[in-house]
Amino acid sequence: MRKILRFSQLLGNIRQSIVVILLFSFIGYTVLPTRSSADTTNNSDQADNAPPQKQNKNARKNDCPSCSPPGDQLIYIPLTDLPEAQGGELVFNSRSPKEMEVTPVFYKLDGTVVKGDPVLIQSAEIRYVDFKKLLPAGHRGERDWGGLALTYHGVAREMWAQYRLLRVNGGGNVDEFFTVKSEQRSDVQEAAWWMPKKSTAIIALGNITDLPTSATLSFGDGDTQTVSLAPNGTGIIRHQHTGQEGVESVKINITGMPGSIITTGVITSKDGSFNSVIRFYDTKGTKQPHLFANGFRLADRKAHMVLKNTSDSPITAQPKFIASGGVASGLPVSLPDVNLGPGETTEVDLTLLSEAVRRRGDLDMVSVQVHNSGGPGTLIGSLYSTNNLTGINYDTPLRDSGPVRTMTGSYPWKVTKDFTTIVYITNITDEEAEFLGEINYSGGHFLLDARKLAPGETAVLDLREIREKQEENKEGQKMSKDFSQGQLKWAVRGDTKGKIVLIGRAEMVSRSQNISTSYSCNDPCPPSYSGDLNPFPPPVVFVNNTATVAAWETAYYNNGYNYYTMGPYAVGASWTLDNAVGTLDPDGGHTTTLTGTSVGGATLDGFIATQSDYRWDGRDCYYSGTYDERVDAPVAVGPHINSISPSRGPVGGTVHILIFGYGFDPNSTPTVSISGYGVSVSDAFVLTDGSITATLFITPDASAGNHLVTVTSHGIDSNSVNFFVQVPTSLETTIEGSPQTYNGGPVPGTNIQVCYGYVKILTYTVLDQSTNPIRATGTAMENVQVLRTNIGSQNLQVTAPVDSNGQFSDYVGLCFPSPPPPQPGEFTVARQTINILIGNLTYTVRTNCLNQQYNNTTITNVTSNPALCQ
Amino acid sequence: MITINSWRHANLLAPLALLCLLASLCFTQQSTDELLKQTISGFESRDEPIDQILGRLSKSYNVPIGLEKIAPKAAASSEERRISVKIEKGTVQDVLDAVIRADPRYQWKEVAGVINVLPRKARNPILEIPVRSFQISNANWMDVRQAIQMTAEIKGGFERMGLKERSAITVVGSGNNNLPKFSLDLRDTTLRGILNEILKVKGYSFWVFSRYGNRNQYVSIQAIV
C-alpha cells in the first residue's frame, strides 16, 4: 500500500512571525547546571561535618575555553495528542543552577503555532504538568495537536523534559523523548519493535523546522509511505498489525533537510493490554556496533527482544545477559548467535534465558549486551516485557552505548502512593568503573557516595528503599523522609580511558496510574572533580602532636559560565609528605593523621584519583585525556609547649618561668613571646630540647587574666599556653583568732605599748580573680571609717605588709592607754575597707563591718554591699 | 648603696641630711587663705557626724583642721547630731560655712594657720590651759598624747575639772601603726596650740577633742593621719 499524505499548507504570515523562537543557530552550549540556593543549604549541612576550606590548585572549574554563551534553546517532541490516548503529561527536569523561564510552543498537526504562557521552573526541579493545563485556556478543548517545543534562554540541555501519552486505548502510558533542535541528525531514522496481535503501530513524524520537509517510510512488511510535512507540522502514520504477534520495523528516509524530522512511535493493542514506545535510532550517528541495555527484569515477566540488521550485509548478533552482580558474580547467559540477513528483523528466542532465570536466583534483573559482527549502526533492537502478575508493560531501551554524556544521568524520581522509581547504572566494560551522584528533592540533597562497579555489574538504586532505610552516607547524611519526588543525578568518576563505560536509566512505575516510564536523560558532559582538604591542616603542627585531615571531592558541572556542583564527597586519598617532618597514619584513606616529629616545613599531598578530562564544544562532549585530582597543603611542624611553671603571677611582679615541651633547639636562641598588655619576656634560654627558662615582667597595670606564651624556633611558632596575670580581687579569711585581753602592758607584735582592752589577730590571704592565692609580697592598706561610736573613736588609715604567700595579719581590737579597759556599753561601729597596693594602683579586696564591743569585735564581710554596715 | 667612710665627708653631709629630714617632715606651707580658697566640686555628705565631715575635708584637701566637739547631752550616747552638706562647686571655706550652717552650735576660725571648729558656747577650758613649755623629740602621736597627759598644767587641769584623758585605740592593721614621728619644742602655748602644731607635721591633718562617758568624764584626743 502506498499512501501520500499532505498536510495543510495554510501557513500564514502570522504563524511565521510567531516562529521566531526557532532562532537556534547556536549548535552547542554546555549545559552543565550549577548548584542552586537550595544546594547551598545542602552544602551548609555538609559544613557542620566538613566544610571545604581550600580550593585545590588542581581545581578544573574554569576549564571551558570553548563553551558557547547562553542563547535561545529549543527542545521538541513531535506528538502530544492521540485519539487513542486519554491525555498527556509533561515532566520538566531542570539541570539549571537558577530559576528558568520556559515557554511552551504548541503546534497543531498542520503546523499552526500556539504560544503558551511561560512557566517558571526552579533549579533542579522536577515538575509534572498535565498537558491540557499547559495549553492556553482558549485552546484546551482542541484535539488536533501535533508537536510541542519548549523554549528557554540558556545553554543546551539546561532544561529537559519528557512526555507521556496516558492511558492509550485504556491501558498504560507511552513515553516520548525530547530532541535538542540544535543537535546534528542525519537523514535516516530506523526502528524495530515487537507487536502483539491486533495492535497498531503509530508513527509520528514532526517537522522541527519552519520549512516544508518530507520523508519516506519503509516498513518491514514491505509497506511504503511518503509523508510531506508543513513547517512545524506533524504527520501520523498508523500501521495495523492484524495477525499474530511478531516483529515490525521501519526505516525513515528524510527527503527534506537532514535532521528536519523528529520521529516517535507508539505500539498499542486494541484492548490497551500492551502499550509501549517505538524508539527510533539515527543509525548514521552511531559510534560503535554493539547494543546495551540494563534494568531488564525477567522474573515473572514475558520478555521480547527484537533485533534488526539495518545494513545490506549479513551480520551476527550475540545476546548476553549479565546478573546485577556483574560477570564475576555469576556466569552470564549467552544465547546462541543470531544471524541476520540484510534488512532482516527477528525476535530473539529467549527460551534459554527463561530457563536460566527459573534455575538461578540472580537473574531476576539483568543487563544486556548484544555484540554485533557488523559495523556501527548495523544493528538496532528493542526490549519489551510484560509483568505476568500486574500486566504492566516495560520498555527497556536497547541501544548503542551512545555519546560520552551517556555516562551521566539526571532522572526524575517519584515514590508517592504506589509509584516506584528504580535507577540502574551498569558497567558495560570488562574493567572496573565508578560513579557517584546525588538525590535532589525540594530544598535538599542526599549524596550518593562514589561506588565502584565490577565488570558487568549493575547498581540498583531503589529510591523508596533508600528513603526508608535511612542509611547514612559517608558524609553523615540521611535522605529526608519528607519528600517523595525529585531528581537523581549521577556521573562517571575516574579514568575511563576514553571508553563509554557506564550506562544508566530510571524506571518509574505506578500500577494504579498505569504508568511505566523509562528515563535516560543525560547531562551534556561528565563533571570535573576537584579535591579539598578539610579540615585544612593548621598552619603549624607541633612536635609530638597530631593533626587530622580529610580528603573531600566536589563534582563541578561546568558550562563555561556557571557551575552545578555535587558534593563535597568523602573520598580516599594516598597521603605523602615531601619532607620528613612528621609521619602520616594511615598513608591511604579518607583521613590521615599527621604527627609532627621534627621542626620544619613540608607539603602534605593527597592523591585522590586519576580523572578523565572531558571537553565540551558547546554541542558534544569529548574525552581529552586525564588529570590527577589531588589536594595539597603546606605544613609546618613547630615546637610544642606542654606547660609552663609557674603558670600564674601577680600584677607588678617578676616571674621566672620554666617552659616544658618538645622541639626546642639548644643550639639556637629561642624567641619567647607573650600576648597582651603589660607582660614582657627577657632572658629566654634553652636548657634542653624540652625546657626553656625565661623571665616575665608584669606591670602593675597589666591586663588581667590569660596571656598566651609562645616559643618560636626556626621561624615556626609553637602552640600557645596561658600565663595567668593575677589581680588582687578578694580576701580569704585564713585564720580568725580569739580576742586576747590585756590589762596594761604591750600587745606583742605591735607597737602598742600599753593596752587596756583586747586584741585578736586575723590572717588574710589575697586571692586573684580566679580565687587562687596570689603568692607575692605587697602592701595591704586599710581604711577604717567610724560610723558610730560612744568612745570618741576616729577614722584610721593603716597598712600591713603582705608576705610572699600572699598573706597578712590584721590586728583588730579596742584598747585604752590607761585603765579602765573598755566597759560594757562602750562601742564603735566602723567600716573597714582593705585595699592591696601594687605600684600606684589600688585594688579593693574586702569591706568589713567592724562591730567593736567592749570585749570582742565582730567582723562581717559586707564587700558585696558595704551599705549594710551602718 | 653609698658608703661614707670619711669623717670629713660625714661632717659635711650631716647638716644637709638634717635639712632634708626637716623639709620632708614639714608641710610645704600654704597660707590659710590659699587653703580656704581651694576649689571644691561635688562635696557631699549625708547624715554624718561633724567629725566625719571635717575629717574627710581635711584629708581630701590637705586642710589642717582641729575640732572641739560639743559634749553629748545624753550620757554615753552615740547618738550624735548628724548633718548633711552639699557643695557642688565652691571652696573649702564654702564647705566650712555650710557645716556651720548645718550645725550652728559650731563656729570656725583660723588659729595659727589651722582651721579650728569649736563650739560657739561652752568651749572646754582644758584646751586653753596655758602650758609654759612642751618638748618632745622623735615621737609619734601616741607618744605625744602620753606626754600631754604628763604635762603638769594639763594634768592639773584635768584633775581640777574631774576629767580623765581616755582616748580609745582602735586596733586594726598590722598593729604597727607607723605614725609619723616628729619633734616639738613649744613655749607659752596651750593644749590647742600643741594640737594645732602637730597638724603642721607632714602626715597629720586633723585633730578631734571630744568628751564621753556617762558623765562626760572622759576626754578623747585623736590626731589623725
Side-chain angles (χ1 to χ4, degrees):
Chain A
M1 182 175 67
R2 179 177 292 271
K3 194 184 291 181
I4 298 174
L5 298 180
R6 290 196 177 275
F7 293 90
S8 174
Q9 300 293 320
L10 300 175
L11 300 174
N13 292 335
I14 294 174
R15 188 187 65 198
Q16 294 204 6
S17 66
I18 292 173
V19 188
V20 291
I21 58 171
L22 300 178
L23 295 171
F24 51 96
S25 55
F26 286 108
I27 294 176
Y29 298 96
T30 308
V31 179
L32 297 175
T34 50
R35 199 176 279 281
S36 66
S37 56
D39 300 288
T40 305
T41 304
N42 186 43
N43 286 335
S44 297
D45 292 340
Q46 286 293 311
D48 291 340
N49 191 17
Q53 298 175 4
K54 174 180 176 290
Q55 282 300 323
N56 174 24
K57 66 179 182 183
N58 298 314
R60 305 175 57 78
K61 297 193 303 181
N62 296 318
D63 284 353
C64 194
S66 59
C67 287
S68 301
D72 291 331
Q73 305 291 338
L74 185 148
I75 59 175
Y76 174 84
I77 52 172
L79 182 65
T80 53
D81 197 10
L82 277 177
E84 293 89 342
Q86 296 173 26
E89 184 181 63
L90 182 73
V91 55
F92 289 100
N93 180 354
S94 169
R95 293 85 171 269
S96 177
K98 61 184 188 302
E99 182 183 75
M100 298 283 288
E101 182 180 279
V102 183
T103 302
V105 180
F106 305 90
Y107 304 106
K108 291 291 186 71
L109 291 170
D110 64 2
T112 303
V113 177
V114 176
K115 189 174 180 181
D117 296 327
V119 178
L120 292 176
I121 305 295
Q122 303 304 309
S123 171
E125 182 182 359
I126 298 291
R127 188 189 301 180
Y128 300 87
V129 183
D130 184 337
F131 174 70
K132 274 190 178 174
K133 291 182 179 174
L134 202 61
L135 285 165
H139 295 272
R140 288 177 185 164
E142 299 166 10
R143 292 298 305 262
D144 55 343
W145 296 107
L148 167 68
L150 299 176
T151 65
Y152 62 92
H153 185 82
V155 294
R157 293 178 180 267
E158 188 171 0
M159 178 57 61
W160 201 247
Q162 190 161 314
Y163 192 80
R164 55 188 166 214
L165 295 160
L166 300 172
R167 295 177 292 281
V168 179
N169 277 331
N173 68 290
V174 177
D175 295 334
E176 194 176 352
F177 313 107
F178 275 80
T179 297
V180 178
K181 183 175 181 178
S182 59
E183 289 180 351
Q184 195 169 29
R185 292 172 295 279
S186 76
D187 58 353
V188 173
Q189 297 278 311
E190 293 210 48
W193 63 94
W194 178 86
M195 295 189 74
K197 62 183 179 181
K198 295 181 181 176
S199 60
T200 303
I202 303 169
I203 311 296
L205 300 91
N207 183 355
I208 198 172
T209 73
D210 54 0
L211 295 172
T213 188
S214 59
T216 300
L217 290 76
S218 302
F219 286 93
D221 62 1
D223 183 20
T224 303
Q225 296 189 30
T226 300
V227 177
S228 294
L229 297 173
N232 305 305
T234 292
I236 297 175
I237 309 295
R238 284 182 167 75
H239 192 77
Q240 303 296 332
H241 188 81
T242 54
Q244 294 301 307
E245 64 180 38
V247 298
E248 188 54 274
S249 67
V250 69
K251 179 176 184 179
I252 299 172
N253 287 297
I254 300 169
T255 49
M257 186 174 73
S260 59
I261 293 177
I262 307 299
T263 53
T264 190
V266 173
I267 312 162
T268 179
S269 60
K270 194 173 182 180
D271 59 0
S273 61
F274 186 88
N275 292 333
S276 196
V277 63
I278 298 171
R279 292 176 179 265
F280 281 83
Y281 298 100
D282 184 340
T283 53
K284 290 185 178 177
T286 306
K287 301 296 184 192
Q288 54 83 50
H290 314 301
L291 302 182
F292 300 90
N294 67 349
F296 188 45
R297 291 198 173 267
L298 296 169
D300 299 320
R301 309 275 176 114
K302 175 63 177 172
H304 302 279
M305 172 184 265
V306 177
L307 296 176
K308 180 186 179 184
N309 177 0
T310 64
S311 73
D312 297 331
S313 303
I315 60 170
T316 300
Q318 298 170 302
K320 186 165 68 176
F321 300 85
I322 304 167
S324 61
V327 293
S329 71
L331 195 63
V333 177
S334 295
L335 298 183
D337 290 353
V338 178
N339 297 310
L340 293 163
E344 182 184 355
T345 302
T346 189
E347 179 174 5
V348 177
D349 182 358
L350 300 178
T351 304
L352 289 175
L353 175 63
S354 300
E355 288 173 358
V357 171
R358 280 195 292 274
R359 283 199 315 273
R360 294 167 51 174
D362 61 340
L363 296 173
D364 287 357
M365 187 284 297
V366 296
S367 63
V368 183
Q369 296 183 5
V370 183
H371 281 248
N372 170 23
S373 63
T378 58
L379 180 68
I380 63 170
S382 57
L383 280 172
Y384 303 100
S385 63
T386 301
N387 188 313
N388 298 330
L389 305 175
T390 65
I392 292 175
N393 310 136
Y394 298 86
D395 154 54
T396 304
L398 177 65
R399 56 195 169 190
D400 168 29
S401 55
V404 170
R405 68 168 180 263
T406 308
M407 295 188 288
T408 69
S410 287
Y411 311 140
W413 65 269
K414 192 176 194 179
V415 293
T416 53
K417 298 179 180 173
D418 69 335
F419 270 91
T420 62
T421 303
I422 298 175
V423 172
Y424 305 98
I425 300 167
T426 300
N427 176 1
I428 61 173
T429 71
D430 54 5
E431 292 182 56
E432 200 173 55
E434 192 175 16
F435 75 97
L436 49 64
E438 70 177 11
I439 298 170
N440 297 325
Y441 40 87
S442 178
H445 307 271
F446 177 75
L447 296 178
L448 299 169
D449 290 315
R451 176 175 168 182
K452 288 183 176 170
L453 296 176
E457 184 181 0
T458 298
V460 180
L461 309 175
D462 183 330
L463 271 296
R464 184 181 295 278
E465 186 178 290
I466 292 172
R467 194 183 70 157
E468 297 306 319
K469 272 192 172 178
Q470 287 290 291
E471 286 181 352
E472 255 189 23
N473 58 18
K474 289 180 183 176
E475 294 73 32
Q477 299 174 312
K478 289 181 180 175
M479 184 176 170
S480 172
K481 296 184 84 167
D482 299 333
F483 299 95
S484 52
Q485 67 178 48
Q487 182 189 60
L488 185 144
K489 288 177 76 75
W490 69 272
V492 68
R493 180 178 185 270
D495 181 17
T496 61
K497 300 181 177 66
K499 299 177 189 170
I500 305 302
V501 299
L502 295 173
I503 60 170
R505 72 184 187 94
E507 190 172 75
M508 183 186 292
V509 176
S510 167
R511 187 179 179 186
S512 67
Q513 303 293 312
N514 256 334
I515 283 174
S516 170
T517 293
S518 179
Y519 295 103
S520 308
C521 325
N522 307 121
D523 287 301
C525 215
S528 61
Y529 294 94
S530 179
D532 296 300
L533 278 181
N534 177 32
F536 189 72
V540 177
V541 179
F542 306 110
V543 173
N544 284 1
N545 276 46
T546 61
T548 298
V549 297
W552 297 86
E553 178 179 84
T554 301
Y556 291 90
Y557 290 87
N558 175 12
N559 65 18
Y561 74 99
N562 58 23
Y563 313 102
Y564 186 96
T565 63
M566 292 197 302
Y569 295 88
V571 291
S574 299
W575 302 100
T576 55
L577 279 173
D578 67 352
N579 190 14
V581 296
T583 60
L584 294 168
D585 184 29
D587 59 6
H590 173 50
T591 64
T592 190
T593 299
L594 167 67
T595 303
T597 55
S598 58
V599 174
T603 298
L604 170 67
D605 181 84
F607 171 75
I608 295 176
T610 297
Q611 302 284 6
S612 292
D613 187 12
Y614 295 101
R615 302 289 168 138
W616 171 251
D617 66 0
R619 188 182 67 187
D620 292 314
C621 183
Y622 303 97
Y623 174 83
S624 76
T626 61
Y627 63 94
D628 284 347
E629 180 193 3
R630 60 194 334 136
V631 288
D632 60 53
V635 170
V637 176
H640 181 261
I641 301 176
N642 291 343
S643 62
I644 60 173
S645 179
S647 60
R648 59 170 68 101
V651 286
T654 298
V655 182
H656 302 287
I657 60 169
L658 267 172
I659 302 172
F660 300 101
Y662 310 111
F664 306 144
D665 184 356
N667 298 317
S668 71
T669 301
T671 301
V672 178
S673 55
I674 187 163
S675 69
Y677 173 75
V679 188
S680 57
V681 188
S682 71
D683 304 329
F685 181 72
V686 177
L687 297 175
T688 67
D689 64 354
S691 60
I692 292 174
T693 63
T695 302
L696 302 183
F697 297 99
I698 310 168
T699 62
D701 60 344
S703 301
N706 286 325
H707 293 242
L708 294 173
V709 175
T710 307
V711 172
T712 304
S713 183
H714 296 286
I716 303 175
D717 291 342
S718 72
N719 61 316
S720 298
V721 295
N722 285 323
F723 180 83
F724 188 82
V725 170
Q726 297 174 290
V727 170
T729 305
S730 62
L731 289 183
E732 180 185 56
T733 306
T734 310
I735 300 169
E736 181 172 350
S738 301
Q740 297 294 311
T741 303
Y742 296 91
N743 193 21
V747 177
T750 75
N751 62 357
I752 300 172
Q753 299 304 312
V754 180
C755 174
Y756 291 87
Y758 65 90
V759 173
K760 66 179 179 181
I761 306 172
L762 293 92
T763 301
Y764 289 112
T765 302
V766 181
L767 304 180
D768 66 16
Q769 60 273 43
S770 296
T771 67
N772 289 311
I774 299 179
R775 301 193 188 283
T777 58
T779 301
M781 186 180 76
E782 300 183 24
N783 287 306
V784 178
Q785 181 188 7
V786 175
L787 302 175
R788 288 179 288 125
T789 182
N790 60 3
I791 53 175
S793 298
Q794 290 297 315
N795 295 352
L796 284 174
Q797 186 178 75
V798 296
T799 59
V802 180
D803 66 20
S804 59
N805 286 320
Q807 295 185 334
F808 66 92
S809 296
D810 194 35
Y811 289 72
V812 176
L814 191 56
C815 288
F816 287 99
S818 58
Q823 298 298 299
E826 292 183 331
F827 73 95
T828 294
V829 174
R831 188 181 293 143
Q832 178 191 33
T833 303
I834 303 176
N835 303 301
I836 302 298
L837 305 181
I838 294 175
N840 57 358
L841 297 177
T842 300
Y843 300 90
T844 300
V845 291
R846 172 69 74 87
T847 303
N848 288 326
C849 192
L850 306 181
N851 185 354
Q852 296 195 292
Q853 297 296 323
Y854 77 102
N855 58 352
N856 196 6
T857 298
T858 304
I859 303 166
T860 307
N861 183 351
V862 294
T863 306
S864 59
N865 187 6
L868 290 174
C869 189
Q870 291 182 335
Chain B
M1 185 175 72
I2 300 170
T3 304
I4 299 172
N5 53 13
S6 160
W7 279 109
R8 186 178 168 206
H9 285 160
N11 290 337
L12 287 172
L13 291 173
L16 184 62
L18 185 61
L19 281 173
C20 291
L21 178 65
L22 289 171
S24 66
L25 288 175
C26 299
F27 279 118
T28 303
Q29 285 285 338
Q30 276 183 290
S31 72
T32 311
D33 197 43
E34 287 172 339
L35 291 173
L36 291 170
K37 287 181 177 174
Q38 278 188 87
T39 304
I40 284 177
S41 61
F43 188 95
E44 184 171 9
S45 165
R46 285 186 184 175
D47 294 329
E48 288 185 88
I50 190 170
D51 50 351
Q52 291 285 326
I53 298 170
L54 294 177
R56 186 146 57 85
L57 178 67
S58 160
K59 182 89 177 168
S60 302
Y61 297 95
N62 216 17
V63 181
I65 298 176
L67 170 64
E68 178 189 345
K69 289 186 73 175
I70 295 171
K73 286 181 180 174
S77 171
S78 64
E79 295 303 317
E80 296 184 72
R81 180 177 291 193
R82 290 170 180 266
I83 58 175
S84 298
V85 170
K86 184 176 182 182
I87 300 293
E88 288 188 355
K89 194 166 184 180
T91 62
V92 169
Q93 184 171 333
D94 294 334
V95 177
L96 290 169
D97 292 342
V99 169
I100 301 310
R101 277 197 301 277
D103 192 348
R105 296 177 301 159
Y106 289 96
Q107 59 180 324
W108 71 266
K109 63 182 182 181
E110 184 251 324
V111 180
V114 176
I115 305 302
N116 278 207
V117 178
L118 58 169
R120 289 184 189 277
K121 299 175 184 174
R123 287 157 56 181
N124 198 313
I126 198 84
L127 282 165
E128 314 302 338
I129 292 175
V131 176
R132 191 164 61 87
S133 172
F134 185 83
Q135 289 178 300
I136 195 163
S137 177
N138 195 27
N140 65 23
W141 161 244
M142 305 275 279
D143 303 325
V144 171
R145 186 165 58 191
Q146 201 163 4
I148 288 172
Q149 289 187 64
M150 303 303 292
T151 302
E153 296 92 327
I154 297 173
K155 189 177 179 184
F158 271 92
E159 287 172 358
R160 282 195 302 278
M161 293 181 211
L163 299 176
K164 179 177 176 58
E165 198 282 329
R166 186 168 175 262
S167 301
I169 303 169
T170 301
V171 183
V172 288
S174 66
N176 295 303
N177 48 35
N178 297 323
L179 292 171
K181 290 186 175 181
F182 54 91
S183 299
L184 290 176
D185 184 2
L186 302 174
R187 309 269 172 186
D188 298 325
T189 184
T190 61
L191 176 54
R192 184 185 300 277
I194 296 169
L195 295 175
N196 282 340
E197 281 303 310
I198 291 171
L199 298 198
K200 295 175 184 175
V201 175
K202 184 175 181 182
Y204 295 94
S205 60
F206 184 49
W207 63 256
V208 182
F209 176 95
S210 60
R211 291 173 63 181
Y212 70 95
N214 53 6
R215 292 176 286 108
N216 283 328
Q217 72 274 30
Y218 297 132
V219 168
S220 170
I221 308 172
Q222 306 280 4
I224 296 161
V225 293

